[in-house]
Amino acid sequence: MTPVIALVGRPNVGKSTLFNKLTRSRDALVANFSGLTRDRQYGEGKVGEHPFIVIDTSGITGDEEGIASVASEQSLAAINEADIILFLVDAKTGLTAADEMIADHLRRQAKRYYLVLNKVDSVDADQAEADFATLGIGRAYQIAAAHGRGVRHMIGDILETQTVSSITANHELNYEEESKATKGIKISIVGRPNVGKSTLVNRLLGEERVVVYDQAGTTRDSIYIPYERFDQKFILIDTAGVRRRGKVKETIEKFSVIKTLQAINDANVVVLVFDAREGIVDQDLHLLGFILESGRAVVLAINKWDGMQDDARRQIKDEVRRRFNFINFARLHMISARHGTGVGHLYDSIKEAYDCATRKLSTNQLTHVLESAVAEHQPPLVNGRRIKLRYCHPGGMNPPTLIIHGNQTDAVPTAYRRYLENTFRKALKIMGTPIRVEFKSGDNPFEGRKNKLNERQLKKRRRLMDHVKKSKRKRKGY
């Protein structure tokens, strides 16, 4: 079994920094800001021949209120899931009441835990460690996570001393199976702040996996959650809400937006969530435009549909019909993430969009569709010459990319390109994903070359020129 390691401690002791070092990634947001992490963040690491799973958690103080109280519940859940617990403390600040409270809680758990003294790069480590002797945990690992000092020795020593028999089997997948689990369909849940993304994630998972609170900007990180449904593997990505650029002023929010945009590019299918009670706003369309430019399959979900009056619902449907006329290939769902209404039908659209985006197409099939489209509607003339489209072949998946070869393809107008996209979509029955059509023209082997005439051709040319001159003189009456 692969050991699960939870990083716990009070806020701003360096848990996310250590998480990034152990996973050799930048998945967790790091800033000199207390309470930055709110959701459990999972990652994989390996030291030598020892793989492990590490969980980043929010800080625990014992006097949390509001959203901090909900976030601390995620930390306690991580402690219950873990086999090994790394209790991080701050060498600069010293022992606090929150540290004593966490140590007392860990003593009551049937878990193996270790004291990790972080930020020892600018203090006397031994003297700082002496402050924590009253906790009764024993010798502490002295590290500086920001610089990687002592991290490899710490994790290697912990995993070496941890035998297979001492690991509590709280999880069902071994390391190889977990690695394969990352090959599932990646679903990214995106939208503006406070439209119900995290609520929808919890509803899809059937558990309170991420923090949900009635406050815009609750989610800050992009949380990757692998799971399985009816023998089908999925990876659900909960993201931070994206506001208009002019309203984004805090540095943390800017990094959260970057993480969200990266999650869109990393996903196979994007579920774009709207707020039915606020209607469709320009920022929704900007997000949708970015998704389409990224080439990702998309499913539209209008949330908070419950409790709305018939007139309001009719108005929303009219607005959707008017503003989404350019994306008629995407499935639209009216849902209530809070009560679960219509959420189950999202899976059908997600699978359909994924299958269409990753379908293998043949050159013969595409060329036949192209010939039928050209026969029904010819390309326009360019400088008196007809654009010729000869054949088509696939150029990639997710999104489906079609490459059409011919001559003068640089002059194909946008309207005719759109006609071809719609024809291919209708003929191939592609739903939920954009189609990219690219054109390539064959190189003219004689372009830039001037034929050199031989002696016989030169004599013939002189005779023709003389004949032309004589004809002109006769017409003028000479």
Side-chain angles (χ1 to χ4, degrees):
M1 291 290 184
T2 304
V4 178
I5 303 173
L7 309 179
V8 301
R10 57 187 180 82
N12 212 29
V13 295
K15 298 184 294 300
S16 296
T17 304
L18 180 58
F19 176 89
N20 288 341
K21 287 292 181 183
L22 293 175
T23 59
R24 299 179 183 180
S25 69
R26 300 180 67 181
D27 291 342
L29 282 178
V30 177
N32 189 19
F33 179 83
S34 180
L36 178 61
T37 304
R38 287 173 177 169
D39 295 296
R40 284 175 284 164
Q41 177 86 287
Y42 289 73
E44 293 182 357
K46 192 174 184 180
V47 176
E49 298 299 323
H50 301 285
F52 59 90
I53 298 172
V54 60
I55 312 175
D56 185 23
T57 65
S58 64
I60 304 173
T61 61
D63 57 353
E64 295 89 357
E65 294 181 355
I67 191 171
S69 176
V70 182
S72 66
E73 294 177 3
Q74 295 282 320
S75 300
L76 298 179
I79 293 175
N80 292 331
E81 292 179 2
D83 302 313
I84 304 171
I85 300 167
L86 300 186
F87 175 27
L88 271 73
V89 293
D90 191 337
K92 294 181 180 179
T93 307
L95 182 65
T96 65
D99 295 326
E100 294 177 344
M101 183 273 297
I102 296 172
D104 183 62
H105 178 78
L106 293 178
R107 273 192 290 269
R108 291 196 294 266
Q109 309 300 313
K111 305 284 184 180
R112 187 181 295 270
Y113 60 95
Y114 300 88
L115 182 65
V116 179
L117 187 65
N118 192 21
K119 305 181 184 181
V120 299
D121 46 332
S122 59
V123 298
D124 186 338
D126 293 332
Q127 183 178 354
E129 183 179 346
D131 294 339
F132 296 91
T134 57
L135 296 178
I137 298 178
R139 185 73 180 174
Y141 288 99
Q142 300 173 0
I143 68 168
H147 307 291
R149 174 182 162 189
V151 173
R152 185 176 180 85
H153 168 72
M154 174 198 68
I155 193 65
D157 185 59
I158 290 174
L159 294 177
E160 283 287 349
T161 57
Q162 187 78 9
T163 59
V164 176
S165 60
S166 65
I167 297 175
T168 306
N170 291 333
H171 44 281
E172 300 176 357
L173 297 177
N174 59 27
Y175 182 72
E176 290 77 10
E177 290 173 338
E178 286 162 3
S179 299
K180 293 178 182 177
T182 59
K183 297 180 180 178
I185 301 175
K186 290 185 178 180
I187 309 169
S188 184
I189 311 295
V190 302
R192 294 183 294 112
N194 213 30
V195 296
K197 300 182 297 298
S198 296
T199 305
L200 178 58
V201 168
N202 287 339
R203 178 63 63 179
L204 290 170
L205 293 172
E207 63 170 316
E208 296 298 320
R209 171 60 182 81
V210 293
V211 173
V212 175
Y213 198 73
D214 189 17
Q215 175 181 317
T218 299
T219 304
R220 287 172 172 161
D221 251 327
S222 294
I223 309 298
Y224 287 66
I225 310 166
Y227 68 106
E228 189 171 319
R229 181 179 185 268
F230 298 142
D231 298 327
Q232 172 70 57
K233 291 182 174 62
F234 297 94
I235 299 176
L236 206 55
I237 310 174
D238 186 22
T239 63
V242 181
R243 297 194 294 172
R244 286 193 296 115
R245 183 179 298 178
K247 292 186 176 182
V248 179
K249 297 179 180 178
E250 295 183 1
T251 304
I252 295 171
E253 187 174 0
K254 292 179 181 178
F255 282 112
S256 297
V257 171
I258 292 172
K259 288 278 191 180
T260 298
L261 301 182
Q262 290 174 346
I264 291 174
N265 289 321
D266 194 28
N268 300 122
V269 181
V270 177
V271 178
L272 182 56
V273 184
F274 307 91
D275 190 335
R277 300 180 185 182
E278 294 185 6
I280 310 301
V281 300
D282 290 342
Q283 181 63 10
D284 294 325
L285 299 179
H286 293 158
L287 271 174
L288 182 56
F290 181 83
I291 294 169
L292 296 180
E293 288 177 6
S294 302
R296 293 295 165 256
V298 61
V299 176
L300 307 179
I302 298 183
N303 192 25
K304 305 181 183 179
W305 192 248
D306 54 309
M308 294 186 66
Q309 300 297 326
D310 292 339
D311 292 340
R313 291 186 175 186
R314 194 178 305 110
Q315 185 178 356
I316 287 293
K317 289 181 178 179
D318 292 339
E319 188 176 9
V320 167
R321 195 178 301 110
R322 177 176 59 87
R323 306 195 74 172
F324 289 163
N325 59 348
F326 65 97
I327 189 172
N328 54 3
F329 57 84
R331 300 293 187 189
L332 178 66
H333 294 266
M334 310 297 184
I335 67 170
S336 171
R338 183 177 182 182
H339 299 102
T341 307
V343 173
H345 298 298
L346 288 175
Y347 282 105
D348 297 332
S349 298
I350 289 170
K351 291 179 181 178
E352 179 189 36
Y354 177 77
D355 292 340
C356 291
T358 57
R359 184 192 304 173
K360 292 184 178 180
L361 304 171
S362 66
T363 301
N364 183 32
Q365 181 185 20
L366 296 177
T367 303
H368 179 72
V369 176
L370 176 63
E371 291 173 349
S372 300
V374 171
E376 184 175 344
H377 181 38
Q378 286 282 334
L381 292 171
V382 177
N383 296 328
R385 298 176 57 200
R386 180 75 65 183
I387 297 175
K388 293 183 180 179
L389 306 179
R390 304 187 185 281
Y391 70 96
C392 177
H393 68 85
M397 297 185 296
N398 199 18
T401 303
L402 313 178
I403 300 177
I404 299 176
H405 291 260
N407 66 346
Q408 302 187 96
T409 56
D410 294 338
V412 175
T414 304
Y416 196 79
R417 180 193 294 264
R418 193 178 301 114
Y419 160 72
L420 290 176
E421 289 178 1
N422 293 333
T423 301
F424 277 110
R425 184 181 302 281
K426 184 177 180 181
L428 301 174
K429 298 180 180 179
I430 295 178
M431 288 295 296
T433 178
I435 297 176
R436 287 181 178 171
V437 177
E438 300 178 2
F439 295 94
K440 286 190 176 182
S441 296
D443 296 331
N444 185 355
F446 301 103
E447 184 178 4
R449 290 177 54 184
K450 188 175 181 180
N451 290 337
K452 187 175 180 179
L453 302 179
N454 55 31
E455 187 64 26
R456 180 171 174 273
Q457 290 172 330
L458 288 173
K459 289 180 179 179
K460 184 177 180 179
R461 182 181 180 184
R462 283 194 290 268
R463 288 197 303 270
L464 289 172
M465 294 300 293
D466 291 340
H467 178 73
V468 171
K469 289 178 181 179
K470 289 179 182 179
S471 300
K472 288 182 178 180
R473 283 197 292 267
K474 286 182 179 180
R475 284 198 297 269
K476 291 181 180 181
Y478 293 160

